Amino acid sequence: MSKHDSSRRNFLKGVGIAGAGAAITDHLWTEAEAKEEQQTTAYGASGDIKVVLNVNGQQRTVQVEPRTTLLNALRNHLEPAVTGPKLVCDMGTCGACTVLLDGKPAYSCLVLALDAANKKITTVEGLGTPENPNAVQAAFVEHDALMCGFCTPGFVTTISAYLKKNPNPSLAEVREACKGNFCRCGTYPRVFEAALAAARKGSQI
Ligand code: FES
Ligand code: FES
């Protein structure tokens, strides 16, 4: 409890809130302080905390420092690790770490693992399997839409989410949808080609 909170409580008592009224007020303050302390513990603690993440439909528990990003938790703290999302810039500019949070693309290097608890996290691994890829994954293979492949999970994830929203996009719309993902190898024409091909097979996304 901070000195400030303590003096607020003393002030309320001192101005004559008597009997049952004071008891209720005191009780309410104590509850509010306990809640505040719980939140402070979660975000401000230096030790590891337990976080339960829903990753690709599975409940996964990690022990991490509160400052740990979702990307770091996925790649370095889960056992087995989830390494589809890649660490490239670590500052929210390249999109290599893109995952879906409740279906929406997000840079997992900018999200705290703690803040991803209670959300449905989908990584590129959750979109399909090598035996049963989704339409975007299959189109990337078919159209040879990668070189080094570092940006690929991010593009596939972004495009898979976008085609659910807009199943019949134009080239310009695909380019716009991918503006948060960078490919340093310059594979853009094939990435866009694959996205449009996947859209034509929309039912499999
Ligand atoms: S690694 Fe997250 S945006 Fe680049
Ligand atoms: S394929 Fe190498 S960064 Fe895109």
Side-chain angles (χ1 to χ4, degrees):
M1 177 174 46
S2 70
K3 271 188 192 163
H4 181 61
D5 287 337
S6 163
S7 60
R8 273 189 305 186
R9 192 193 296 183
N10 290 339
F11 171 74
L12 277 177
K13 284 180 184 166
V15 292
I17 301 174
I24 290 167
T25 310
D26 205 36
H27 174 70
L28 290 177
W29 274 114
T30 310
E31 257 190 13
E33 283 159 7
K35 227 181 226 173
E36 204 171 289
E37 195 168 309
Q38 265 178 7
Q39 283 167 356
T40 310
T41 304
Y43 285 95
S46 55
D48 285 358
I49 53 164
K50 188 168 116 181
V51 181
V52 181
L53 299 172
N54 180 334
V55 185
N56 298 327
Q58 289 185 333
Q59 295 292 105
R60 308 280 307 267
T61 302
V62 280
Q63 289 280 140
V64 290
E65 286 186 35
R67 64 182 176 148
T68 306
T69 64
L70 175 59
L71 179 63
N72 188 356
L74 291 170
R75 293 183 58 85
N76 302 314
H77 294 275
L78 283 183
E79 186 50 53
V82 176
T83 56
K86 299 284 181 272
L87 174 66
V88 177
C89 70
D90 206 16
M91 56 193 297
T93 61
C94 75
C97 63
T98 303
V99 300
L100 303 182
L101 291 183
D102 291 337
K104 289 192 188 139
Y107 291 157
S108 60
C109 70
L110 291 188
V111 177
L112 291 177
L114 196 56
D115 288 333
N118 305 322
K119 297 206 165 122
K120 206 175 144 206
I121 304 158
T122 308
T123 69
V124 72
E125 290 95 335
L127 298 173
T129 62
E131 301 74 36
N132 190 21
N134 81 356
V136 179
Q137 292 168 322
F140 265 65
V141 174
E142 210 173 302
H143 292 262
D144 200 14
L146 60 145
M147 288 177 79
C148 76
F150 242 74
C151 67
T152 311
F155 271 105
V156 168
T157 306
T158 297
I159 293 167
S160 296
Y162 181 66
L163 294 187
K164 281 206 165 149
K165 231 172 55 180
N166 180 4
N168 190 22
S170 63
L171 173 59
E173 287 171 327
V174 168
R175 289 170 67 108
E176 176 69 17
C178 292
K179 69 183 178 191
N181 293 78
F182 293 165
C183 174
R184 286 167 179 77
C185 300
T187 327
Y188 295 104
R190 291 197 181 183
V191 166
F192 301 147
E193 203 180 293
L196 293 172
R200 291 193 287 274
K201 296 185 185 172
S203 59
Q204 293 166 37
I205 293 168

